[in-house]
Amino acid sequence: MKNKIQLFIKAVVNSYAILFFSQNKVLGAILLLVSFFNPVAGLCGLCCAIFSLAITNLLGYRTETINAGIYSFNSLLLGIAFGSFYNVNTVFFIWLTLACLFTVIVTVVLVERLGRSGLPVLSLPFIFCFWIVLLAANSVFHAGLEPKSSYILSELYNGTGNLGSFHEYLYLNLPFYLNLFFRSLSAILFQNNVITGILISLGLLIHSRIAFSLLIIGFITALCFNNITNVYPDGISYYHLGANFMLTSVAIGSFFTIPSLRSYLWAIVCVLMVFVLINAFTSLLSIYNLPIFSLPFCIINIGLLYFLLLRRYPEKLQLVPIQHYSPERNLYQFINQKSRLNDLKYFRFYLPFMGSWTVSQGYDGDITHKGDWGKALDFVIEDEEKHTYKLPGTLPEHFYCFNKPVLACADGVVTTVTDHIEDNIIGEVNTKDNWGNTVVIKHLDGLYSKVSHLKKKSITVKPGDVVKQGDQIGLCGNSGRSPEPHLHFQVQTTSYIDAKTLTYPFAGYISREANKNKFNSFEVPAKEDELNPVDINVSIKRAFDFPPGYTAIITSATAKESIEAFTDEFNQTYFYCKETGATAYFINNGTLFYFTSFYGDKNSLLYYFYLSAYKILFSSDEDLIVHDTLPVQLSTNKLQLWLQDLMAPFYRFISINYSSCYLPQKTGLTIKAAQFKQIFGRQKQTMSATINIADNSIHDFDIQINGRDTKAEWIKEST
């Protein structure tokens, strides 16, 4: 019951915060507070938000959408508008209740309909429903609603506030444009109050430095353009500045798109386009005495988003893939995950052989890998002198790779097999049967792998056979266009033997560089690279196997937390801590375990485990050091982070790096991890940790961070 009440309160606060595209509780609380500067409007808004949350909860709509305030913020706006436009009388609350219910219905329908196309509803439900109220109240039939004054329809709320002399002092003594900026922010709550604007500004600055900078950019752009064009000789309405120009800049520049130079430029262009829409709709709606509210803002944002969603190759201006309701987190997570979440982009292909092989011809090679067939790899086995054969080298059997097992690179179904072509005499090629003995495997619709030049009659599979990654499918040979034994590998989109090639990486392999082993994840090897499959340590792999339903207890000297592994609707796995509510998403691809994101209490033991086990390779090779980067928002220095936030769309000077490796022990297994913070190229270690493994399970971990040493025991309960 307590958790339900807390979630409901959070949803109420989010209903306010989302007016500025946020889920920040400080901003939400400030907006709730300042809405009561007009007590009637504030109370009506709060009641409508609570009413809509109660209705959507009782009727069983999506919990995540309810808690985010998406179903309720339009009702909140409706309540505030009711209290601002109309006097309270006997029918006021009847109309308010009916209008609020209507708004909830319209909101849910539009959220579901527009959501299917990846589009937001913004404040369209409020605008439409309040127009209905205004039309009804202004009709020849008496609706019983008493408007406060006629000029509200043009400026919405033109009072000087309710905080007396202090407000009057600020109103009269602040510089004109600063005064106008604060009043424009307050207009989003149908106020004309400098104090409201100042408090909202503080909340927005706490919420997002990027969003706040775009508010200023939208404000300045609108004023400068108006000064040049003189569209509004008496100045732009403070309401339109806040609800249309400034909010458009924030939404386009930082909420719906990943903040960047391009997003800022688009924000400026869209602010200019708002001028046209305001003028056009003002002329149209004045016929019915209706204010345009934030309609231009809605049309510009929804229109541009739909325009961008229609792109086939969205590389330049990036839309936000997962909304975190923070421009900074959206940006940092996007940058961090762009190079990390390849498991979600690619089907996992592994090397089609055992042992150490060398790339003799890579992509777009100088021998046969050209044009449409250029994205292919040839593999051979070399000795220490880089020879591919033992003397005299006149027979296929003299070559190290001849007769070696060829493996399925991934799970799939065999579609095409050729197994009757003779192996060539060394130095001769068979151009008639170019590919020689070949196996093509279908892994997904439109995704096939092919291995060629196999040994005659060595193929052990036939069309229709189901194969698993690592299954032997044949032996390396010298058939087809092959002057000496080698293995040809390519990825293609069809099952035809002579199909065009496709650029595609291997999920994980070891390369040898400067006499040291290097782990490569989702990369394409280059010519002369010496490759090996990852030698999996079963104990480490089992220790980091957390299937859905896995439960464990983490205990330290000061805390005890129960965690459980779950799978969400997108089939992503995550840990959830019952005590703190913290959530940590992770991926286990059979070679690596790594975390993808964390939400919640950063003093929790689950967070410390997230930092310690950020990326773990299932190998006990001492030479292998796994490197990775963490999202910049994990920086603990707030002053540095705020400065980085302001510059982040254009330049990033902070990076947080991570490394882990196997640490040899006499008994058991230990993983050593470290974190490094780099500022303007200068690096400093900020974290060190060890994870101890015993009996195929995590036994404990020890982390030193922020001057604290935390030792935690890991007790597995069930799998």
Side-chain angles (χ1 to χ4, degrees):
M1 185 63 181
K2 182 179 178 181
N3 288 338
K4 289 183 178 180
I5 294 174
Q6 289 176 341
L7 285 174
F8 192 83
I9 293 173
K10 182 179 179 181
V12 171
V13 174
N14 284 341
S15 302
Y16 287 83
I18 204 170
L19 294 176
F20 287 91
F21 315 105
S22 171
Q23 299 282 267
N24 185 283
K25 59 184 179 182
V26 174
L27 175 59
I30 287 174
L31 291 170
L32 194 159
L33 172 66
V34 298
S35 70
F36 277 85
F37 285 3
N38 182 338
V40 174
L43 181 60
C44 290
L46 179 60
C47 289
C48 285
I50 293 173
F51 177 78
S52 60
L53 288 170
I55 289 292
T56 49
N57 269 298
L58 287 172
L59 294 179
Y61 291 97
R62 288 186 295 179
T63 303
E64 297 82 3
T65 309
I66 293 172
N67 292 339
I70 293 173
Y71 287 145
S72 50
F73 79 91
N74 275 282
S75 300
L76 166 65
L77 287 173
L78 180 87
I80 294 175
F82 246 87
S84 300
F85 274 66
Y86 295 108
N87 291 309
V88 177
N89 58 19
T90 53
V91 299
F92 177 90
F93 291 108
I94 295 176
W95 286 114
L96 177 61
T97 303
L98 292 174
C100 185
L101 180 59
F102 186 43
T103 303
V104 173
I105 294 171
V106 173
T107 300
V108 171
V109 170
L110 288 182
V111 165
E112 297 306 315
R113 281 293 178 182
L114 292 178
R116 293 177 186 177
S117 301
L119 299 173
V121 298
L122 302 178
S123 52
L124 284 178
F126 154 68
I127 295 169
F128 176 71
C129 294
F130 201 63
W131 276 350
I132 298 295
V133 171
L134 290 172
L135 289 171
N138 296 335
S139 71
V140 293
F141 302 102
H142 184 60
L145 289 172
E146 299 177 0
K148 287 187 175 180
S149 61
S150 60
Y151 66 76
I152 290 180
L153 292 179
S154 59
E155 284 290 342
L156 294 173
Y157 187 77
N158 200 27
T160 57
N162 300 311
L163 296 183
S165 58
F166 181 55
H167 177 271
E168 290 292 338
Y169 175 81
L170 293 174
Y171 188 83
L172 296 173
N173 291 280
L174 280 178
F176 174 77
Y177 288 112
L178 190 60
N179 185 311
L180 182 60
F181 178 83
F182 292 138
R183 290 191 297 117
S184 299
L185 279 179
S186 73
I188 295 169
L189 297 179
F190 303 102
Q191 296 184 23
N192 182 15
N193 192 310
V194 175
I195 298 176
T196 297
I198 291 173
L199 292 174
I200 292 175
S201 295
L202 290 174
L204 284 167
L205 194 57
I206 292 171
H207 157 60
S208 169
R209 277 60 58 197
I210 292 175
F212 188 78
S213 69
L214 281 160
L215 277 175
I216 297 173
I217 288 172
F219 179 78
I220 293 174
T221 300
L223 292 178
C224 289
F225 188 71
N226 190 56
N227 286 336
I228 295 171
T229 61
N230 205 32
V231 174
Y232 304 108
D234 298 327
I236 306 172
S237 160
Y238 70 93
Y239 176 79
H240 290 319
L241 272 172
N244 287 300
F245 293 108
M246 293 163 72
L247 280 188
T248 294
S249 179
V250 173
I252 296 298
S254 67
F255 183 73
F256 295 117
T257 63
I258 298 297
S260 65
L261 177 60
R262 289 185 178 87
S263 76
Y264 275 57
L265 293 175
W266 270 102
I268 291 172
V269 170
C270 288
V271 166
L272 303 183
M273 294 170 66
V274 168
F275 275 88
V276 177
L277 292 181
I278 289 177
N279 287 348
F281 284 110
T282 298
S283 300
L284 179 64
L285 295 174
S286 62
I287 300 172
Y288 304 99
N289 292 319
L290 293 176
I292 65 173
F293 293 122
S294 54
L295 183 63
F297 156 77
C298 295
I299 291 176
I300 284 289
N301 278 273
I302 294 174
L304 181 64
L305 280 177
Y306 191 64
F307 170 71
L308 294 175
L309 284 169
L310 294 176
R311 294 176 298 171
R312 292 185 63 187
Y313 306 106
E315 295 180 358
K316 301 300 182 181
L317 183 65
Q318 293 283 350
L319 296 178
V320 174
I322 301 176
Q323 188 56 257
H324 297 96
Y325 296 96
S326 164
E328 285 80 8
R329 180 148 193 170
N330 285 343
L331 173 60
Y332 296 143
Q333 287 287 108
F334 176 79
I335 294 169
N336 182 251
Q337 295 180 352
K338 186 177 180 180
S339 60
R340 297 187 71 240
L341 298 189
N342 289 312
D343 276 288
L344 305 182
K345 300 176 187 176
Y346 299 105
F347 191 81
R348 297 171 196 147
F349 284 168
Y350 294 92
L351 298 178
F353 47 73
M354 297 182 288
S356 178
W357 293 58
T358 300
V359 180
S360 59
Q361 185 181 192
Y363 280 12
D364 301 313
D366 54 2
I367 305 174
T368 56
H369 297 173
K370 297 181 180 297
D372 291 335
W373 295 271
K375 309 306 178 185
L377 298 166
D378 287 343
F379 298 102
V380 297
I381 297 178
E382 295 181 338
D383 58 23
E384 294 180 356
E385 284 76 35
K386 299 296 182 180
H387 295 150
T388 58
Y389 58 89
K390 58 186 176 181
L391 294 175
T394 55
L395 298 173
E397 291 82 359
H398 297 160
F399 286 76
Y400 301 121
C401 67
F402 186 77
N403 224 28
K404 292 295 188 295
V406 176
L407 314 178
C409 65
D411 297 352
V413 178
V414 177
T415 60
T416 308
V417 171
T418 302
D419 194 28
H420 65 278
I421 300 170
E422 296 289 342
D423 289 290
N424 301 323
I425 298 172
I426 298 301
E428 295 184 4
V429 294
N430 178 359
T431 55
K432 179 183 177 182
D433 303 299
N434 185 73
W435 300 106
N437 299 310
T438 295
V439 176
V440 179
I441 301 174
K442 178 181 180 181
H443 305 283
L444 295 172
D445 288 340
L447 185 64
Y448 298 77
S449 67
K450 182 180 81 170
V451 286
S452 295
H453 309 310
L454 303 184
K455 182 182 178 182
K456 180 183 178 182
K457 298 299 181 182
S458 72
I459 296 175
T460 59
V461 294
K462 61 183 182 301
D465 284 355
V466 176
V467 294
K468 305 293 287 183
Q469 187 269 318
D471 286 352
Q472 181 173 325
I473 56 177
L475 299 174
C476 182
N478 194 38
S479 56
R481 188 176 178 180
S482 176
E484 67 174 58
H486 72 282
L487 175 64
H488 175 95
F489 175 85
Q490 70 182 52
V491 180
Q492 53 196 51
T493 59
T494 68
S495 62
Y496 300 109
I497 285 183
D498 59 348
K500 299 175 183 179
T501 56
L502 176 70
T503 299
Y504 215 84
F506 287 113
Y509 62 90
I510 307 298
S511 63
R512 190 74 175 170
E513 295 182 8
N515 295 321
K516 287 187 177 181
N517 289 336
K518 177 189 174 185
F519 175 71
N520 302 270
S521 180
F522 291 97
E523 295 182 31
V524 176
K527 183 180 178 181
E528 298 183 358
D529 281 356
E530 183 182 341
L531 314 180
N532 284 276
V534 178
D535 186 12
I536 300 295
N537 184 294
V538 176
S539 294
I540 300 176
K541 182 177 180 179
R542 290 179 179 174
F544 285 90
D545 183 21
F546 306 117
Y550 176 98
T551 59
I553 295 176
I554 313 174
T555 60
S556 69
T558 57
K560 180 179 180 180
E561 296 178 9
S562 304
I563 64 168
E564 184 172 352
F566 293 91
T567 303
D568 67 10
E569 59 187 305
F570 302 107
N571 205 31
Q572 303 302 306
T573 49
Y574 64 95
F575 281 127
Y576 176 75
C577 177
K578 298 177 182 177
E579 287 77 13
T580 65
T583 303
Y585 280 81
F586 64 87
I587 288 176
N588 184 331
N589 65 15
T591 303
L592 279 171
F593 169 91
Y594 60 98
F595 283 105
T596 58
S597 54
F598 179 89
Y599 306 92
D601 186 359
K602 292 184 180 179
N603 292 313
S604 65
L605 295 177
L606 180 57
Y607 180 67
Y608 288 150
F609 182 66
Y610 163 83
L611 294 178
S612 303
Y614 189 67
K615 189 172 187 178
I616 305 296
L617 179 65
F618 304 150
S619 173
S620 54
D621 187 335
E622 301 174 36
D623 290 340
L624 287 176
I625 300 177
V626 178
H627 298 279
D628 209 341
T629 58
L630 289 94
V632 174
Q633 74 262 15
L634 298 184
S635 174
T636 55
N637 188 313
K638 295 301 180 184
L639 183 60
Q640 290 176 353
L641 186 58
W642 277 37
L643 180 59
Q644 175 64 96
D645 291 345
L646 288 170
M647 301 172 64
F650 319 104
Y651 174 72
R652 289 170 290 279
F653 61 86
I654 296 177
S655 64
I656 305 176
N657 304 312
Y658 171 91
S659 65
S660 69
C661 62
Y662 168 74
L663 189 65
Q665 298 287 335
K666 292 182 179 179
T667 59
L669 296 169
T670 297
I671 305 295
K672 182 181 179 181
Q675 183 187 111
F676 303 89
K677 186 176 182 180
Q678 186 169 301
I679 302 177
F680 292 114
R682 298 182 62 181
Q683 185 166 280
K684 178 183 178 182
Q685 184 169 347
T686 54
M687 184 275 289
S688 63
T690 55
I691 305 170
N692 296 311
I693 298 170
D695 300 324
N696 298 330
S697 179
I698 296 172
H699 183 268
D700 60 74
F701 65 92
D702 186 353
I703 180 171
Q704 295 85 43
I705 189 170
N706 299 329
R708 295 176 56 186
D709 185 354
T710 302
K711 297 181 180 180
E713 185 179 1
W714 185 286
I715 305 171
K716 182 173 71 173
E717 289 190 312
S718 65
T719 303

